[in-house]
Amino acid sequence: GAVVSQHPSWVICKSGTSVKIECRSLDFQATTMFWYRQFPKQSLMLMATSNEGSKATYEQGVEKDKFLINHASLTLSTLTVTSAHPEDSSFYICSETGRGTDTQYFGPGTRLTVL
Amino acid sequence: AQSVTQLDSHVSVSEGTPVLLRCNYSSSYSPSLFWYVQHPNKGLQLLLKYTSAATLVKGINGFEAEFKKSETSFHLTKPSAHMSDAAEYFCVVSDLSATGGFKTIFGAGTRLFVKA
């Protein structure tokens, strides 16, 4: 399957700062990327879907001004958590699919802790 | 409308005994069905995928799943559990959305415990 990397794997930041998480497709042209967050012992919650070169589509209840998503190329998508607060602490996971397929390949996740 | 129900929040088996993780789904069309595994603090790894080619799907690490349309089930099995199988397992259904793309729904997950 496709290989997806995320960076950083974990980050600790102060409340009010912004954090950028990168999701890279290493061997695959990811036409669509997904961003999820996962709370402890829970399933994944889809935050947004982004297609290369287009604006991201956010799920209901997800603040687009707080969670900025950029999908500038077929191999890179970024999620920026702006003005982070402790309640934003979570495990963030990206995934990708190629054109015409619905199989998602997941990154290893980023653990964000906001103090 | 799509939905996925994983019938057990956790399953505990002894090493060397069979594993059964249950999943029921509902879908309006012909869905794709997946099982993913997640080890602690890791991303999700694809175990197997059903796409209507064959009802019995073989995946990695000895896992397999059988698609039963009459029962709307897609249960995951493995003949003999290994300690390394202890993880969280997600059943996922993907179907065409009204906008023409894919809509993916995740089950709540089943935690598999393997006892020595």
Side-chain angles (χ1 to χ4, degrees):
Chain A
V3 179
V4 180
S5 70
Q6 274 184 249
H7 178 80
S9 56
W10 59 270
V11 57
I12 301 173
C13 69
K14 292 182 179 179
S15 186
T17 61
S18 294
V19 175
K20 179 184 283 188
I21 302 170
E22 291 187 350
C23 179
R24 289 185 183 273
S25 169
L26 300 183
D27 59 354
F28 194 72
Q29 288 194 328
T31 53
T32 304
M33 281 193 171
F34 305 85
W35 285 96
Y36 296 86
R37 67 186 298 182
Q38 184 181 33
F39 292 104
K41 301 186 188 303
Q42 294 188 23
S43 189
L44 279 68
M45 183 189 81
L46 180 64
M47 299 174 67
T49 303
S50 73
N51 293 298
E52 185 261 341
S54 302
K55 287 185 179 180
T57 302
Y58 290 81
E59 296 297 301
Q60 193 171 10
V62 178
E63 299 176 59
K64 62 180 181 180
D65 294 330
K66 181 168 185 62
F67 298 100
L68 302 178
I69 291 172
N70 184 283
H71 190 171
S73 75
L74 286 171
T75 60
L76 175 64
S77 176
T78 60
L79 167 67
T80 302
V81 183
T82 62
S83 186
H85 287 91
E87 58 265 31
D88 299 324
S89 299
S90 189
F91 194 54
Y92 292 86
I93 307 176
C94 70
S95 73
E96 61 175 38
T97 63
R99 194 180 308 277
T101 177
D102 58 356
T103 301
Q104 293 187 37
Y105 295 97
F106 288 83
T110 297
R111 172 74 59 193
L112 170 64
T113 302
V114 184
L115 302 177
Chain B
Q2 292 171 298
S3 69
V4 180
T5 303
Q6 289 184 242
L7 298 166
D8 306 292
S9 60
H10 60 272
V11 169
S12 183
V13 301
S14 297
E15 189 175 25
T17 63
V19 176
L20 170 64
L21 304 182
R22 300 182 295 166
C23 174
N24 285 100
Y25 72 94
S26 68
S27 175
S28 302
Y29 303 103
S30 294
S32 295
L33 295 162
F34 308 80
W35 275 99
Y36 287 88
V37 60
Q38 184 182 32
H39 291 275
N41 296 309
K42 300 291 185 184
L44 276 68
Q45 180 184 20
L46 179 66
L47 283 177
L48 49 82
K49 173 184 179 181
Y50 165 78
T51 55
S52 78
T55 56
L56 184 61
V57 183
K58 293 189 182 298
I60 62 171
N61 301 337
F63 285 95
E64 61 182 38
E66 185 172 9
F67 173 73
K68 291 186 177 180
K69 188 173 182 178
S70 61
E71 298 176 11
T72 60
S73 69
F74 190 58
H75 301 334
L76 181 71
T77 60
K78 182 173 181 177
S80 176
H82 192 272
M83 295 297 288
S84 61
D85 294 328
E88 188 83 17
Y89 291 80
F90 293 98
C91 181
V92 179
V93 61
S94 178
D95 208 340
L96 288 174
S97 72
T99 58
F102 293 108
K103 177 76 172 177
T104 302
I105 303 293
F106 282 77
T110 298
R111 170 73 62 176
L112 177 65
F113 297 93
V114 182
K115 298 174 290 186

